[in-house]
Structures are given as structure tokens and as C-alpha cells.
């Protein structure tokens, strides 16, 4: 059989380690596995009905994603994000998302705008605090669309490395009513800026969207360096912006 016959065959299923990593990633970012919690391969394997091999590989994947740390003689633990960690994540996020927004505005299509409209509508339909995790998932789904439309492979990879830690931080803050009530409208504003096709305006919009949170993180880091950043930042930003 020719090589081309193998290559054109049915798609291979995802590796078991990838499926396990996806499940653990969701458990970490949604707070099911708490910061600092030890991950025991045997227990995880039994709970997921898999062997220890895929769990071990999944832990390596999540270590590369920055969600798990391996400690000598102590095994794997979920990371604990300090304000210093989050300042690094958000300062880098602002830098790459500025480029993503500029490129997205220059390349925006009707299909992308329609997908953004769907995400915003689903976000607006969420009402209760029990749906906070869904708010975060939709928030990140909107930004995924921005990176996809930016059409820049290395830029998207950079976002994927940050995405889990951003999700972890946001899920720790979504008990705030201002986040739940205004997230959809803020993303609707970003959508309108992108639809106008002005890269400079898009860059300014994302600086406003993310910048307040970054400034608050820096203020809190400078006054309380040793504390984790799991708690909410106090109050909305200028003009009611949550900046998430």
C-alpha cells in the first residue's frame, strides 16, 4: 500500500493523554482542582479509568502549559498564581492581544463577525452566579476567534500557552456581579471596533479592555507580594469596565 493511502485514511482519534490533559485542564481552570493541590497519578488513573501512562503524559503537557509544577520528591501540584505571576501573564497577554486585534481588524470576515455575535448572545443569556464558569468559557471563546482571524500561527500558539492561566485567574474572579453583568456588552464593543476594520482603533480598544486589570494587578502586587491572586480585584474599572 502506498504512503498516500495511509495519509488519506480516516482521521486518528486523539491520544488518550490528550483527552486526559483536556479533562485535567478544565478541572484546574474551573477550580475543581485547587491551587497547590497534589496530583496523584494512581488516584487520577483510577478515577478516569485509564492507566497511569496517559496521566503521566497529561501532567507533562500541563506542566508545559504552566498549570502544573513538578516538585522534586513531592510530585505534581496545581500551580498557585501570585500577583507577580498574573502580572506577567497579563502584561504578555496585552502585548500579544494588541497585535491579534490589529490583524483581526484588517482581516475580519462576515463569518467571524457572525461567530462573535453568537458568542455574545450566549454570554448575554447567562443570568445567575452558578453560570460563572460559562461566562469565562465564552469570554475566552470570543478571544479565540480574534486570534483565529488574526491568521498568525506563532501568535496563536503564544495565546494557547497563556490561555489556561488566564482562565484560572478569571474563574477565581467571576463571583463579581460587575463581571457577569457587563462582560457581554464589553465584548460587543470589541466586536463593533473590529467590524469597522480599523487596526489602530482595535489596538486602543483592547488596551482599554485589558489595561485596567493589569494596572490593578500591579498595584496589588506592589502592596502584597506574597499573597496569591485568587481573590477578586475590588470594584469595576473606569466607566464600569471589568477589563477581562
Amino acid at each position: 500500500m502506498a504512503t498516500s493511502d495511509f495519509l488519506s485514511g480516516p482521521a486518528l482519534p486523539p491520544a488518550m493523554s490528550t483527552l486526559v490533559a483536556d479533562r485535567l485542564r478544565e478541572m484546574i481552570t474551573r477550580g475543581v482542582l485547587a491551587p497547590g493541590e497534589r496530583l496523584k497519578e494512581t488516584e487520577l488513573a483510577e478515577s478516569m479509568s485509564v492507566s497511569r501512562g496517559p496521566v503521566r503524559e497529561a501532567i507533562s503537557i500541563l506542566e508545559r502549559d504552566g498549570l502544573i509544577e513538578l516538585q522534586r520528591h513531592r510530585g505534581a501540584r496545581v500551580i498557585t498564581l501570585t500577583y507577580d505571576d498574573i502580572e506577567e501573564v497579563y502584561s504578555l497577554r496585552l502585548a500579544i492581544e494588541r497585535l491579534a486585534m490589529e490583524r483581526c481588524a484588517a482581516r475580519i470576515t462576515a463569518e467571524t463577525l457572525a461567530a462573535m455575535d453568537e458568542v455574545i448572545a450566549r454570554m448575554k443569556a447567562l443570568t445567575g452566579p452558578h453560570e460563572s464558569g460559562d461566562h469565562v468559557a465564552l469570554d475566552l471563546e470570543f478571544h479565540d476567534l480574534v486570534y483565529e482571524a488574526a491568521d498568525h500561527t506563532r501568535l496563536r500558539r503564544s495565546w494557547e500557552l497563556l490561555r489556561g492561566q488566564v482562565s484560572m485567574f478569571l474563574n477565581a474572579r467571576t463571583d463579581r456581579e460587575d463581571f457577569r453583568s457587563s462582560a457581554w456588552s464589553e465584548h460587543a464593543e470589541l466586536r463593533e471596533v473590529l467590524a469597522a476594520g480599523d487596526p489602530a482603533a482595535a489596538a486602543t480598544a483592547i488596551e482599554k479592555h485589558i489595561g485596567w486589570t493589569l494596572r490593578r494587578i500591579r498595584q496589588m502586587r506592589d502592596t502584597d507580594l506574597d499573597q496569591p491572586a485568587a481573590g477578586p480585584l475590588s470594584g469595576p474599572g473606569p466607566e464600569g469596565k471589568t477589563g477581562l
Side-chain angles (χ1 to χ4, degrees):
M1 183 178 291
T3 302
S4 59
D5 293 330
F6 284 100
L7 296 178
S8 61
L12 295 174
M16 182 59 68
S17 58
T18 301
L19 297 177
V20 173
D22 288 344
R23 185 171 175 185
L24 288 176
R25 184 182 292 106
E26 183 174 9
M27 293 172 71
I28 291 170
T29 57
R30 287 184 176 249
V32 177
L33 293 172
E37 185 169 345
R38 185 180 175 189
L39 303 181
K40 299 178 181 179
E41 289 182 9
T42 301
E43 292 180 4
L44 290 172
E46 290 177 356
S47 66
M48 297 184 184
S49 301
V50 298
S51 65
R52 291 179 62 182
V55 173
R56 188 177 302 113
E57 293 174 16
I59 287 174
S60 294
I61 292 172
L62 296 181
E63 182 194 18
R64 291 195 297 270
D65 288 351
L67 295 178
I68 287 175
E69 59 180 353
L70 297 179
Q71 300 175 324
R72 187 175 178 83
H73 304 307
R74 299 180 67 183
R77 292 181 183 274
V78 178
I79 61 165
T80 299
L81 294 175
T82 65
Y83 289 118
D84 204 36
D85 295 326
I86 291 296
E87 192 277 338
E88 288 191 3
V89 169
Y90 260 74
S91 60
L92 181 55
R93 181 188 178 187
L94 180 57
I96 66 172
E97 200 141 340
R98 185 185 296 115
L99 176 58
M101 287 286 287
E102 290 173 344
R103 290 178 62 90
C104 181
R107 294 164 174 78
I108 197 73
T109 65
E111 289 77 13
T112 297
L113 290 172
M116 289 178 172
D117 288 338
E118 181 183 358
V119 170
I120 292 166
R122 288 158 58 200
M123 193 182 294
K124 186 177 181 180
L126 298 177
T127 55
H130 62 285
E131 297 171 313
S132 292
D134 296 325
H135 274 94
V136 173
L138 290 170
D139 182 316
L140 296 177
E141 187 175 336
F142 180 93
H143 292 278
D144 288 341
L145 291 169
V146 172
Y147 282 94
E148 183 178 346
D151 192 26
H152 191 305
T153 302
R154 288 168 176 79
L155 182 63
R156 182 169 178 82
R157 287 177 184 168
S158 297
W159 166 238
E160 289 170 351
L161 287 173
L162 290 182
R163 193 183 191 280
Q165 294 178 61
V166 172
S167 178
M168 198 174 174
F169 176 58
L170 293 183
N171 271 298
R173 300 185 63 223
T174 50
D175 56 338
R176 286 176 40 194
E177 174 59 30
D178 62 292
F179 171 68
R180 297 195 302 270
S181 63
S182 65
W184 74 267
S185 60
E186 291 187 30
H187 288 84
E189 290 177 11
L190 292 178
R191 184 263 188 214
E192 292 306 310
V193 171
L194 290 168
D198 184 341
T204 299
I206 201 62
E207 288 169 3
K208 184 177 182 181
H209 181 68
I210 295 175
W212 179 82
T213 297
L214 179 56
R215 289 192 295 274
R216 288 290 294 129
I217 290 167
R218 285 171 173 165
Q219 290 171 1
M220 298 180 81
R221 176 202 60 185
D222 292 344
T223 57
D224 206 356
L225 283 174
D226 296 327
Q227 296 300 313
L233 303 184
S234 55
E239 303 176 18
K241 296 292 182 184
T242 59
L244 304 176

mmCIF file with all atom_site columns, all heavy atoms in Angstrom, residues 80-91:
data_model
loop_
_atom_site.group_PDB
_atom_site.id
_atom_site.type_symbol
_atom_site.label_atom_id
_atom_site.label_alt_id
_atom_site.label_comp_id
_atom_site.label_asym_id
_atom_site.label_entity_id
_atom_site.label_seq_id
_atom_site.pdbx_PDB_ins_code
_atom_site.Cartn_x
_atom_site.Cartn_y
_atom_site.Cartn_z
_atom_site.occupancy
_atom_site.B_iso_or_equiv
_atom_site.pdbx_formal_charge
_atom_site.auth_seq_id
_atom_site.auth_comp_id
_atom_site.auth_asym_id
_atom_site.auth_atom_id
_atom_site.pdbx_PDB_model_num
ATOM 1   N N   . THR A 1 80 ? -0.030 27.690 42.025 1.00 0.00 ? 80 THR A N   1
ATOM 2   C CA  . THR A 1 80 ? -0.680 28.757 42.774 1.00 0.00 ? 80 THR A CA  1
ATOM 3   C C   . THR A 1 80 ? -0.215 30.070 42.167 1.00 0.00 ? 80 THR A C   1
ATOM 4   O O   . THR A 1 80 ? 0.981  30.376 42.188 1.00 0.00 ? 80 THR A O   1
ATOM 5   C CB  . THR A 1 80 ? -0.301 28.704 44.265 1.00 0.00 ? 80 THR A CB  1
ATOM 6   O OG1 . THR A 1 80 ? -0.731 27.454 44.817 1.00 0.00 ? 80 THR A OG1 1
ATOM 7   C CG2 . THR A 1 80 ? -0.945 29.853 45.027 1.00 0.00 ? 80 THR A CG2 1
ATOM 8   N N   . LEU A 1 81 ? -1.141 30.809 41.596 1.00 0.00 ? 81 LEU A N   1
ATOM 9   C CA  . LEU A 1 81 ? -0.789 32.054 40.922 1.00 0.00 ? 81 LEU A CA  1
ATOM 10  C C   . LEU A 1 81 ? -0.703 33.204 41.907 1.00 0.00 ? 81 LEU A C   1
ATOM 11  O O   . LEU A 1 81 ? -1.675 33.513 42.602 1.00 0.00 ? 81 LEU A O   1
ATOM 12  C CB  . LEU A 1 81 ? -1.828 32.385 39.841 1.00 0.00 ? 81 LEU A CB  1
ATOM 13  C CG  . LEU A 1 81 ? -1.898 31.427 38.645 1.00 0.00 ? 81 LEU A CG  1
ATOM 14  C CD1 . LEU A 1 81 ? -3.054 31.829 37.726 1.00 0.00 ? 81 LEU A CD1 1
ATOM 15  C CD2 . LEU A 1 81 ? -0.585 31.436 37.881 1.00 0.00 ? 81 LEU A CD2 1
ATOM 16  N N   . THR A 1 82 ? 0.454  33.834 41.992 1.00 0.00 ? 82 THR A N   1
ATOM 17  C CA  . THR A 1 82 ? 0.609  35.039 42.790 1.00 0.00 ? 82 THR A CA  1
ATOM 18  C C   . THR A 1 82 ? 0.316  36.255 41.909 1.00 0.00 ? 82 THR A C   1
ATOM 19  O O   . THR A 1 82 ? 0.190  36.144 40.687 1.00 0.00 ? 82 THR A O   1
ATOM 20  C CB  . THR A 1 82 ? 2.039  35.150 43.331 1.00 0.00 ? 82 THR A CB  1
ATOM 21  O OG1 . THR A 1 82 ? 2.939  35.321 42.213 1.00 0.00 ? 82 THR A OG1 1
ATOM 22  C CG2 . THR A 1 82 ? 2.433  33.904 44.109 1.00 0.00 ? 82 THR A CG2 1
ATOM 23  N N   . TYR A 1 83 ? 0.236  37.422 42.526 1.00 0.00 ? 83 TYR A N   1
ATOM 24  C CA  . TYR A 1 83 ? 0.043  38.638 41.739 1.00 0.00 ? 83 TYR A CA  1
ATOM 25  C C   . TYR A 1 83 ? 1.195  38.846 40.764 1.00 0.00 ? 83 TYR A C   1
ATOM 26  O O   . TYR A 1 83 ? 1.002  39.339 39.650 1.00 0.00 ? 83 TYR A O   1
ATOM 27  C CB  . TYR A 1 83 ? -0.092 39.855 42.663 1.00 0.00 ? 83 TYR A CB  1
ATOM 28  C CG  . TYR A 1 83 ? -1.393 39.888 43.416 1.00 0.00 ? 83 TYR A CG  1
ATOM 29  C CD1 . TYR A 1 83 ? -1.425 39.832 44.810 1.00 0.00 ? 83 TYR A CD1 1
ATOM 30  C CD2 . TYR A 1 83 ? -2.607 39.958 42.735 1.00 0.00 ? 83 TYR A CD2 1
ATOM 31  C CE1 . TYR A 1 83 ? -2.616 39.846 45.504 1.00 0.00 ? 83 TYR A CE1 1
ATOM 32  C CE2 . TYR A 1 83 ? -3.803 39.973 43.423 1.00 0.00 ? 83 TYR A CE2 1
ATOM 33  C CZ  . TYR A 1 83 ? -3.812 39.916 44.803 1.00 0.00 ? 83 TYR A CZ  1
ATOM 34  O OH  . TYR A 1 83 ? -4.993 39.919 45.486 1.00 0.00 ? 83 TYR A OH  1
ATOM 35  N N   . ASP A 1 84 ? 2.386  38.454 41.186 1.00 0.00 ? 84 ASP A N   1
ATOM 36  C CA  . ASP A 1 84 ? 3.538  38.585 40.299 1.00 0.00 ? 84 ASP A CA  1
ATOM 37  C C   . ASP A 1 84 ? 3.366  37.702 39.067 1.00 0.00 ? 84 ASP A C   1
ATOM 38  O O   . ASP A 1 84 ? 3.654  38.118 37.941 1.00 0.00 ? 84 ASP A O   1
ATOM 39  C CB  . ASP A 1 84 ? 4.813  38.201 41.049 1.00 0.00 ? 84 ASP A CB  1
ATOM 40  C CG  . ASP A 1 84 ? 6.055  38.845 40.453 1.00 0.00 ? 84 ASP A CG  1
ATOM 41  O OD1 . ASP A 1 84 ? 5.957  39.998 39.998 1.00 0.00 ? 84 ASP A OD1 1
ATOM 42  O OD2 . ASP A 1 84 ? 7.102  38.188 40.439 1.00 0.00 ? 84 ASP A OD2 1
ATOM 43  N N   . ASP A 1 85 ? 2.883  36.480 39.278 1.00 0.00 ? 85 ASP A N   1
ATOM 44  C CA  . ASP A 1 85 ? 2.622  35.584 38.146 1.00 0.00 ? 85 ASP A CA  1
ATOM 45  C C   . ASP A 1 85 ? 1.582  36.180 37.201 1.00 0.00 ? 85 ASP A C   1
ATOM 46  O O   . ASP A 1 85 ? 1.757  36.195 35.977 1.00 0.00 ? 85 ASP A O   1
ATOM 47  C CB  . ASP A 1 85 ? 2.101  34.226 38.641 1.00 0.00 ? 85 ASP A CB  1
ATOM 48  C CG  . ASP A 1 85 ? 3.126  33.463 39.455 1.00 0.00 ? 85 ASP A CG  1
ATOM 49  O OD1 . ASP A 1 85 ? 4.330  33.577 39.154 1.00 0.00 ? 85 ASP A OD1 1
ATOM 50  O OD2 . ASP A 1 85 ? 2.719  32.745 40.390 1.00 0.00 ? 85 ASP A OD2 1
ATOM 51  N N   . ILE A 1 86 ? 0.501  36.673 37.782 1.00 0.00 ? 86 ILE A N   1
ATOM 52  C CA  . ILE A 1 86 ? -0.593 37.209 36.958 1.00 0.00 ? 86 ILE A CA  1
ATOM 53  C C   . ILE A 1 86 ? -0.164 38.475 36.243 1.00 0.00 ? 86 ILE A C   1
ATOM 54  O O   . ILE A 1 86 ? -0.589 38.748 35.112 1.00 0.00 ? 86 ILE A O   1
ATOM 55  C CB  . ILE A 1 86 ? -1.839 37.470 37.824 1.00 0.00 ? 86 ILE A CB  1
ATOM 56  C CG1 . ILE A 1 86 ? -2.436 36.131 38.275 1.00 0.00 ? 86 ILE A CG1 1
ATOM 57  C CG2 . ILE A 1 86 ? -2.889 38.255 37.067 1.00 0.00 ? 86 ILE A CG2 1
ATOM 58  C CD1 . ILE A 1 86 ? -2.942 35.269 37.133 1.00 0.00 ? 86 ILE A CD1 1
ATOM 59  N N   . GLU A 1 87 ? 0.703  39.279 36.886 1.00 0.00 ? 87 GLU A N   1
ATOM 60  C CA  . GLU A 1 87 ? 1.204  40.476 36.196 1.00 0.00 ? 87 GLU A CA  1
ATOM 61  C C   . GLU A 1 87 ? 1.973  40.071 34.944 1.00 0.00 ? 87 GLU A C   1
ATOM 62  O O   . GLU A 1 87 ? 1.836  40.699 33.889 1.00 0.00 ? 87 GLU A O   1
ATOM 63  C CB  . GLU A 1 87 ? 2.099  41.274 37.139 1.00 0.00 ? 87 GLU A CB  1
ATOM 64  C CG  . GLU A 1 87 ? 2.439  42.683 36.640 1.00 0.00 ? 87 GLU A CG  1
ATOM 65  C CD  . GLU A 1 87 ? 3.601  42.704 35.647 1.00 0.00 ? 87 GLU A CD  1
ATOM 66  O OE1 . GLU A 1 87 ? 4.402  41.742 35.661 1.00 0.00 ? 87 GLU A OE1 1
ATOM 67  O OE2 . GLU A 1 87 ? 3.697  43.662 34.865 1.00 0.00 ? 87 GLU A OE2 1
ATOM 68  N N   . GLU A 1 88 ? 2.769  39.011 35.053 1.00 0.00 ? 88 GLU A N   1
ATOM 69  C CA  . GLU A 1 88 ? 3.495  38.530 33.875 1.00 0.00 ? 88 GLU A CA  1
ATOM 70  C C   . GLU A 1 88 ? 2.526  38.038 32.797 1.00 0.00 ? 88 GLU A C   1
ATOM 71  O O   . GLU A 1 88 ? 2.690  38.336 31.612 1.00 0.00 ? 88 GLU A O   1
ATOM 72  C CB  . GLU A 1 88 ? 4.460  37.408 34.272 1.00 0.00 ? 88 GLU A CB  1
ATOM 73  C CG  . GLU A 1 88 ? 5.672  37.869 35.048 1.00 0.00 ? 88 GLU A CG  1
ATOM 74  C CD  . GLU A 1 88 ? 6.718  36.766 35.182 1.00 0.00 ? 88 GLU A CD  1
ATOM 75  O OE1 . GLU A 1 88 ? 6.499  35.668 34.617 1.00 0.00 ? 88 GLU A OE1 1
ATOM 76  O OE2 . GLU A 1 88 ? 7.742  37.004 35.835 1.00 0.00 ? 88 GLU A OE2 1
ATOM 77  N N   . VAL A 1 89 ? 1.534  37.258 33.217 1.00 0.00 ? 89 VAL A N   1
ATOM 78  C CA  . VAL A 1 89 ? 0.565  36.707 32.265 1.00 0.00 ? 89 VAL A CA  1
ATOM 79  C C   . VAL A 1 89 ? -0.180 37.830 31.550 1.00 0.00 ? 89 VAL A C   1
ATOM 80  O O   . VAL A 1 89 ? -0.306 37.839 30.315 1.00 0.00 ? 89 VAL A O   1
ATOM 81  C CB  . VAL A 1 89 ? -0.434 35.773 32.979 1.00 0.00 ? 89 VAL A CB  1
ATOM 82  C CG1 . VAL A 1 89 ? -1.601 35.413 32.055 1.00 0.00 ? 89 VAL A CG1 1
ATOM 83  C CG2 . VAL A 1 89 ? 0.265  34.502 33.445 1.00 0.00 ? 89 VAL A CG2 1
ATOM 84  N N   . TYR A 1 90 ? -0.663 38.814 32.313 1.00 0.00 ? 90 TYR A N   1
ATOM 85  C CA  . TYR A 1 90 ? -1.487 39.856 31.709 1.00 0.00 ? 90 TYR A CA  1
ATOM 86  C C   . TYR A 1 90 ? -0.672 40.882 30.931 1.00 0.00 ? 90 TYR A C   1
ATOM 87  O O   . TYR A 1 90 ? -1.158 41.440 29.944 1.00 0.00 ? 90 TYR A O   1
ATOM 88  C CB  . TYR A 1 90 ? -2.364 40.531 32.775 1.00 0.00 ? 90 TYR A CB  1
ATOM 89  C CG  . TYR A 1 90 ? -3.777 39.973 32.737 1.00 0.00 ? 90 TYR A CG  1
ATOM 90  C CD1 . TYR A 1 90 ? -4.043 38.702 33.224 1.00 0.00 ? 90 TYR A CD1 1
ATOM 91  C CD2 . TYR A 1 90 ? -4.826 40.682 32.164 1.00 0.00 ? 90 TYR A CD2 1
ATOM 92  C CE1 . TYR A 1 90 ? -5.309 38.160 33.169 1.00 0.00 ? 90 TYR A CE1 1
ATOM 93  C CE2 . TYR A 1 90 ? -6.095 40.158 32.098 1.00 0.00 ? 90 TYR A CE2 1
ATOM 94  C CZ  . TYR A 1 90 ? -6.336 38.898 32.593 1.00 0.00 ? 90 TYR A CZ  1
ATOM 95  O OH  . TYR A 1 90 ? -7.601 38.355 32.514 1.00 0.00 ? 90 TYR A OH  1
ATOM 96  N N   . SER A 1 91 ? 0.552  41.150 31.340 1.00 0.00 ? 91 SER A N   1
ATOM 97  C CA  . SER A 1 91 ? 1.366  42.067 30.545 1.00 0.00 ? 91 SER A CA  1
ATOM 98  C C   . SER A 1 91 ? 1.714  41.435 29.203 1.00 0.00 ? 91 SER A C   1
ATOM 99  O O   . SER A 1 91 ? 1.708  42.113 28.164 1.00 0.00 ? 91 SER A O   1
ATOM 100 C CB  . SER A 1 91 ? 2.641  42.462 31.307 1.00 0.00 ? 91 SER A CB  1
ATOM 101 O OG  . SER A 1 91 ? 3.431  41.329 31.611 1.00 0.00 ? 91 SER A OG  1
#
